Amino acid sequence: MSKVLFNEKTFEDLLDISKSLSSERDLDRLLDKILSEARRFTCSDAGTIYLVNNNKLIFMLSQVQTLFDRWGEQQTREKFKKFEMPITKQSMAGYAAITGMVLNIPDVNKISPDKEYKYNASFDEQNDYKTVSMLVVPMKNRQNQPIGVLQLINAFGEDKKVIAYTKSLERLVESLASMAGIAIQNAQLNQEIRNAHLDTILRLGIAAEYRDKETANHIRRMARYSLLIAESLGWNKETCERLLYAAPMHDVGKLGIPDEILHKPGVLTTDERETMQKHTLIGANILHHSRAEELVLSKLIALTHHEKWDGSGYPQGLKQKEIPIEGRIAAITDVFDALSSRRCYKEPFPEEKVIEIMKHDSGRHFDPELTELFLSKIVEIRSIQIRYQDTDADFDKLRNINALSPADLIDNNKNSQIKFDF
Ligand code: C2E
Ligand code: SIN
Ligand code: SIN
Ligand code: SIN
Ligand code: FE
Ligand code: FE
């Protein structure tokens, strides 16, 4: 157990952990790292992390070496689902969160009945596990408020026997928990900024479609179809997600097109068509010089989503692989949805007709490989259509401003975090 005493090596290790924690922006990965490091440092068999949110404790994850060995790590992790519980002093994690104090329990079966907290044996019972010693440490943010709880379970001594957590281990875990608290706060702030940023992107896209009298569902479907292609291409999660968030802005330039052209019920004249085509350049101009990576991609898509494989598209007349792949994807998904939906100038086509047009224009308008890939996903396409179906109410709201009612806008979920579900 010599490695757990405060010596120079321990400080170096703590510094390394601190650096590694502060560089992790993804909350789930960060929590996993915190727990692994805390277990490693204390030779603990198990551990759990809770986060505090709206007067609830959210169980985020557990790592249990004994169960990993018994069932395999992946299967064990899948068994532990996130859940919420009220914060009360009756649970040990709740007690630590409320009081800000560390609980160092040599044996959970011998907690004195006059304590406010109790040991809840349901985890042990459900998993055929035996908890003995526990160290329960609050993790605090910069404002010194508890934002989470780190629970370590069953410290191993020399001969793999469970021992109580020593005072020096307790101090060590307290230092680690205070670094962890700040890192968690940073990751949460980063997530909030990202959510706000992505939410703004979606809503700008909706603003453009609003003017176009299309529905917000058009861009949701189009973005989902684009994601479908990206996933089929085997792109990694970050790249797929970036496309999902960038695609909704493809027609943002329609904000700059006069009403009488944008809303014309019939076919456009040559001049009107020429003006209409400027929506690609207007969109790219709106998004020009942004340093946010989604907007850089949005600009590219706004500029290139009407280019055609055979070079007959606009505004640059690029052909084949001169057209960036994201533009080739958006061309397919945008037209597919335009054909399947009602527009001010056209009725929706039935599915067979849409597929026939897509196949006919494959190799002319569209990248043939990507078209084949997309059309092979018809089952997924249909479920996106069902999930993001246009209703008459959607159209009424867009066509008749008088149909908008303040009652529809009351937000019953003020306390919930920004959700970006589209
Ligand atoms: P949009 O309505 O979002 O349509 C996007 C693209 O879907 C069109 O790009 C076109 O490639 C394809 N598309 C839509 N409807 C049909 C169709 O009935 N048949 C075929 N084969 N393809 C179709 P495009 O043509 O460059 O048009 C860009 C935008 O210009 C359209 O966006 C729409 O806002 C407007 N627009 C195009 N044609 C007309 C029209 O005849 N009347 C009016 N009022 N607007 C039009
Ligand atoms: C990717 O972004 O992962 C691939 C891009 C490309 O194929 O051009
Ligand atoms: C931001 O956080 O404002 C932009 C970061 C990004 O999405 O690239
Ligand atoms: C249309 O907008 O009606 C069809 C023109 C095209 O196929 O690009
Ligand atoms: Fe467009
Ligand atoms: Fe569109």
Coordinates of all heavy atoms in Angstrom, one line a residue, residues 209 212 214 218-219 222 250-251 254 279 305-306 330 333-335 337-338 343, ligand 6:
E209 N -36.7 27.9 -44.0 CA -37.8 27.1 -44.5 C -39.2 27.8 -44.2 O -40.1 27.6 -44.9 CB -37.8 25.7 -43.9 CG -36.5 24.9 -44.2 CD -36.3 24.6 -45.7 OE1 -37.3 24.6 -46.5 OE2 -35.1 24.4 -46.1
D212 N -40.0 29.9 -46.8 CA -40.2 29.1 -48.0 C -41.6 28.4 -47.9 O -41.9 27.7 -48.8 CB -39.1 28.0 -48.1 CG -38.9 27.5 -49.5 OD1 -39.4 28.2 -50.4 OD2 -38.2 26.5 -49.6
E214 N -42.2 25.8 -46.4 CA -42.0 24.4 -46.2 C -42.1 24.2 -44.7 O -42.2 25.1 -44.0 CB -40.6 24.0 -46.7 CG -40.6 24.0 -48.2 CD -39.2 23.8 -48.8 OE1 -38.3 23.4 -48.0 OE2 -39.0 24.2 -50.0
H218 N -39.1 19.3 -43.2 CA -38.3 19.0 -44.5 C -36.8 19.0 -44.1 O -36.1 18.1 -44.5 CB -38.6 20.1 -45.5 CG -37.5 20.2 -46.6 ND1 -37.1 19.1 -47.4 CD2 -36.6 21.2 -46.9 CE1 -36.1 19.5 -48.2 NE2 -35.8 20.8 -47.9
I219 N -36.3 20.0 -43.3 CA -34.9 19.9 -43.1 C -34.5 18.8 -42.1 O -33.4 18.3 -42.1 CB -34.4 21.3 -42.6 CG1 -35.0 21.7 -41.3 CG2 -34.5 22.4 -43.7 CD1 -34.3 22.9 -40.7
M222 N -34.3 15.8 -44.4 CA -33.2 15.9 -45.3 C -31.9 15.7 -44.5 O -31.0 15.0 -45.0 CB -33.3 17.3 -45.9 CG -32.2 17.6 -46.9 SD -30.8 18.3 -46.1 CE -29.7 18.7 -47.4
H250 N -28.8 24.2 -45.6 CA -28.5 24.2 -47.1 C -29.2 25.3 -47.8 O -28.7 25.9 -48.8 CB -28.7 22.8 -47.7 CG -30.2 22.5 -47.8 ND1 -30.8 21.9 -46.7 CD2 -31.1 22.6 -48.8 CE1 -32.1 21.7 -47.0 NE2 -32.3 22.1 -48.3
D251 N -30.5 25.6 -47.4 CA -31.3 26.6 -48.2 C -31.4 27.9 -47.4 O -32.3 28.7 -47.7 CB -32.7 26.1 -48.4 CG -32.8 25.3 -49.7 OD1 -31.9 25.5 -50.6 OD2 -33.7 24.5 -49.8
K254 N -32.3 31.2 -49.1 CA -33.7 31.5 -49.5 C -34.3 32.7 -48.7 O -35.2 33.3 -49.2 CB -34.6 30.3 -49.4 CG -34.4 29.3 -50.6 CD -35.4 28.1 -50.5 CE -35.2 27.1 -51.6 NZ -36.1 26.0 -51.4
H279 N -29.9 31.7 -54.4 CA -29.9 31.3 -53.0 C -28.7 30.5 -52.5 O -28.3 30.5 -51.4 CB -31.2 30.5 -52.7 CG -31.3 29.1 -53.0 ND1 -31.5 28.6 -54.3 CD2 -31.0 27.9 -52.3 CE1 -31.5 27.3 -54.3 NE2 -31.2 26.8 -53.1
H305 N -25.1 22.4 -53.1 CA -26.1 21.4 -53.1 C -26.9 21.3 -54.4 O -27.7 20.4 -54.6 CB -27.0 21.5 -51.9 CG -28.0 22.6 -51.9 ND1 -27.6 23.9 -51.5 CD2 -29.3 22.7 -52.1 CE1 -28.6 24.7 -51.6 NE2 -29.7 24.0 -52.0
H306 N -26.7 22.3 -55.3 CA -27.4 22.3 -56.6 C -26.5 22.0 -57.7 O -26.8 22.2 -58.9 CB -28.2 23.6 -56.8 CG -29.5 23.6 -56.0 ND1 -30.5 22.8 -56.2 CD2 -29.8 24.4 -55.0 CE1 -31.5 23.1 -55.3 NE2 -31.1 24.0 -54.5
A330 N -26.1 16.0 -50.2 CA -27.2 17.0 -50.0 C -28.1 17.1 -51.2 O -29.3 17.2 -51.1 CB -26.7 18.3 -49.6
T333 N -30.4 14.0 -51.1 CA -31.4 14.0 -50.0 C -32.4 15.2 -50.1 O -33.5 15.0 -49.8 CB -30.7 14.0 -48.6 OG1 -29.8 15.2 -48.6 CG2 -29.8 12.8 -48.4
D334 N -31.9 16.3 -50.6 CA -32.8 17.5 -50.8 C -33.8 17.2 -51.9 O -35.0 17.5 -51.7 CB -31.9 18.7 -51.1 CG -32.7 20.0 -51.3 OD1 -33.7 20.1 -50.5 OD2 -32.4 20.8 -52.1
V335 N -33.4 16.7 -53.0 CA -34.3 16.5 -54.1 C -35.2 15.3 -53.7 O -36.4 15.4 -54.0 CB -33.6 16.2 -55.4 CG1 -34.5 15.8 -56.5 CG2 -32.7 17.4 -55.9
D337 N -36.4 14.6 -50.9 CA -37.5 15.1 -50.0 C -38.4 16.1 -50.8 O -39.6 16.1 -50.5 CB -36.9 15.7 -48.8 CG -38.0 15.8 -47.7 OD1 -38.5 14.7 -47.3 OD2 -38.4 16.9 -47.3
A338 N -37.8 16.9 -51.7 CA -38.6 17.9 -52.4 C -39.6 17.1 -53.3 O -40.8 17.5 -53.4 CB -37.7 18.7 -53.3
R343 N -45.0 21.1 -52.2 CA -44.4 22.4 -52.4 C -45.4 23.4 -52.9 O -46.5 23.0 -53.4 CB -43.2 22.4 -53.4 CG -42.0 21.7 -52.9 CD -41.3 22.5 -51.9 NE -39.9 22.0 -51.7 CZ -39.6 21.1 -50.8 NH1 -40.5 20.6 -50.0 NH2 -38.3 20.8 -50.6
Ligands
FE6 FE -34.4 22.1 -49.4

